[in-house]
């Protein structure tokens, strides 16, 4: 039976204290005595509860979860508690990871899904982190050949960029072969079987007309025109007569005592020109030159 002991207070009124105690783990359907109690609003008391191991049980009414913890990789279809959460503006959502524990991120707009490709992977419709080009409205993958070399299409103004090995047989070369231009068309530069450049040498047209005239007198101290301009002329030969005593100067209309090519008595000069030719006589008396020229 429970025992009661009397104790006097300052007012002299005895207060009875129940001294009944309980052994740890004892089963009791109706707890009484010095059990730890809490009071609920409304003057109702309830015993403080412990779990089977004697740990204090606390119910979080607001502002927290049940306090669950999870081991790395633990399977839990309805995870809650101390997980990492995100806020979508109105609700909390758990942060997702894949089966390897890597964070999963969904790109809503402005990007692909981050697909990566190994070198040489066969992919019919590549997307993601493949190198892409933009034509002003759409994107296209940058193309390479079977060796991984970048393929470039020249749309205008160039050939196809074909390269040739030394000595390769190609009857109609195009692309990066060496070309010449004749003023309207292009032609490949030709080499012989040893790779030496082939050059056609064209002879100058042969003269078909030979013209002579009477000797031309060069006045003393003056420049005199020996032959006039002639568009049909190929070459003119002028000779300072051997009997002369003066060395003449030969040139254009600006010939003088200090300008032009010297021509001594008995010497000749050939000039391939269609322009007029002049001679200057530095002496004190007139002396003459002989003239001959050719035409086609």
């Amino acid at each position: 039976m429970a025992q009661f002991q009397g104790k006097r207070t300052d007012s002299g009124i005895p207060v009875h204290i129940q001294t009944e105690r309980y052994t740890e783990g004892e089963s009791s359907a109706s707890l009484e005595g010095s059990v730890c109690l809490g009071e609920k609003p409304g003057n109702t008391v309830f015993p403080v509860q412990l779990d089977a191991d004697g740990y204090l049980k606390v119910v979080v009414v607001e502002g927290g979860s049940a306090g669950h913890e999870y081991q790395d990789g633990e399977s839990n279809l309805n995870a809650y508690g101390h997980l990492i959460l995100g806020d979508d503006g109105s609700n909390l959502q758990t942060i997702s990871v894949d089966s390897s524990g890597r964070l999963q991120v969904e790109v809503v707009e402005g990007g692909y899904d981050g697909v990566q490709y190994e070198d040489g992977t066969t992919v019919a419709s590549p997307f993601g982190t493949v190198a892409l080009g933009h034509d002003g409205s759409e994107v296209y993958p940058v193309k390479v050949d079977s060796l991984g070399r970048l393929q470039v299409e020249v749309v205008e103004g160039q050939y196809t960029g074909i390269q040739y090995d030394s000595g390769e047989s190609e009857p109609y070369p195009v692309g990066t072969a060496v070309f010449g231009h004749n003023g309207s068309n292009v032609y490949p530069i030709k080499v012989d079987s040893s790779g030496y450049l082939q050059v056609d040498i064209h002879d100058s047209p042969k003269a078909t007309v030979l013209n002579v005239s009477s000797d031309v007198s060069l006045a003393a101290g003056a420049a005199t025109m020996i032959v006039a301009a002639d568009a049909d002329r190929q070459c003119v030969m002028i000779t300072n007569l051997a009997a002369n005593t003066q060395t003449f100067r030969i040139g254009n209309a600006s010939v003088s005592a200090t300008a032009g090519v010297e021509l001594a008595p008995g010497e000749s000069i050939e000039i391939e020109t269609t322009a007029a030719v002049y001679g200057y006589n530095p002496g004190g008396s007139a002396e003459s030159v002989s003239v001959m020229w050719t035409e086609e």
Side-chain angles (χ1 to χ4, degrees):
M1 293 296 293
Q3 296 178 354
F4 296 90
Q5 295 179 343
K7 181 179 179 182
R8 296 187 64 83
T9 65
D10 292 340
S11 62
I13 301 175
V15 177
H16 297 283
I17 301 175
Q18 187 175 1
T19 60
E20 185 175 350
R21 297 289 186 268
Y22 298 91
T23 304
E24 183 178 359
E26 181 179 352
S27 175
S28 178
S30 301
L31 298 177
E32 58 181 324
S34 46
V35 173
C36 184
L37 300 177
E39 182 180 2
K40 183 178 180 181
N43 299 321
T44 303
V45 294
F46 293 90
V48 176
Q49 296 182 348
L50 308 176
D51 62 13
D53 295 321
Y55 297 118
L56 182 65
K57 294 197 291 184
V58 178
V59 178
V60 179
V61 177
E62 185 177 358
S65 64
H68 285 258
E69 299 290 346
Y70 300 92
Q71 297 294 322
D72 185 23
E74 181 178 353
S75 176
N76 193 312
L77 298 180
N78 297 307
Y80 60 95
H82 296 292
L83 292 174
I84 299 177
L85 302 177
D87 189 348
D88 64 4
S90 58
N91 299 312
L92 295 177
Q93 306 290 342
T94 56
I95 304 299
S96 300
V97 296
D98 62 15
S99 58
S100 300
R102 295 174 296 198
L103 183 65
Q104 290 183 308
V105 178
E106 179 182 359
V107 179
V108 177
E109 185 177 359
Y112 288 92
D113 60 357
V115 177
Q116 302 287 338
Y117 300 94
E118 298 291 338
D119 185 23
T121 302
T122 300
V123 181
S125 300
F127 61 96
T129 54
V130 171
L132 301 176
H134 192 263
D135 66 358
S137 59
E138 298 178 352
V139 293
Y140 297 91
V142 176
K143 296 182 179 180
V144 295
D145 62 15
S146 58
L147 299 176
R149 296 174 298 195
L150 184 64
Q151 290 182 311
V152 179
E153 179 183 358
V154 179
V155 177
E156 185 177 359
Q158 297 288 334
Y159 286 95
T160 58
I162 297 175
Q163 302 288 336
Y164 300 94
D165 292 327
S166 178
E168 182 178 353
S169 176
E170 178 56 63
Y172 302 105
V174 294
T176 54
V178 178
F179 287 88
H181 191 264
N182 69 352
S184 58
N185 299 318
V186 292
Y187 295 93
I189 304 299
K190 297 180 179 180
V191 295
D192 61 17
S193 59
S194 299
Y196 297 117
L197 183 64
Q198 288 182 312
V199 179
D200 291 334
I201 298 176
H202 297 279
D203 293 335
S204 299
K206 298 293 190 292
T208 58
V209 177
L210 179 62
N211 295 301
V212 296
S213 69
S214 302
D215 292 345
V216 177
S217 176
L218 303 183
T224 303
M225 184 173 64
I226 300 174
V227 291
D230 185 350
D232 295 328
R233 187 174 57 232
Q234 290 183 332
C235 180
V236 59
M237 176 182 290
I238 300 172
T239 300
N240 188 350
L241 299 179
N244 290 336
T245 60
Q246 297 299 321
T247 297
F248 302 141
R249 293 276 191 152
I250 306 299
N252 59 14
S254 298
V255 68
S256 65
T258 58
V261 177
E262 288 187 341
L263 188 63
E267 291 182 342
S268 298
I269 184 173
E270 293 183 4
I271 305 173
E272 294 182 357
T273 182
T274 59
V277 181
Y278 291 77
Y280 181 83
N281 178 7
S285 59
E287 292 185 341
S288 299
V289 295
S290 61
V291 180
M292 180 175 63
W293 68 95
T294 58
E295 297 177 359
E296 290 188 33

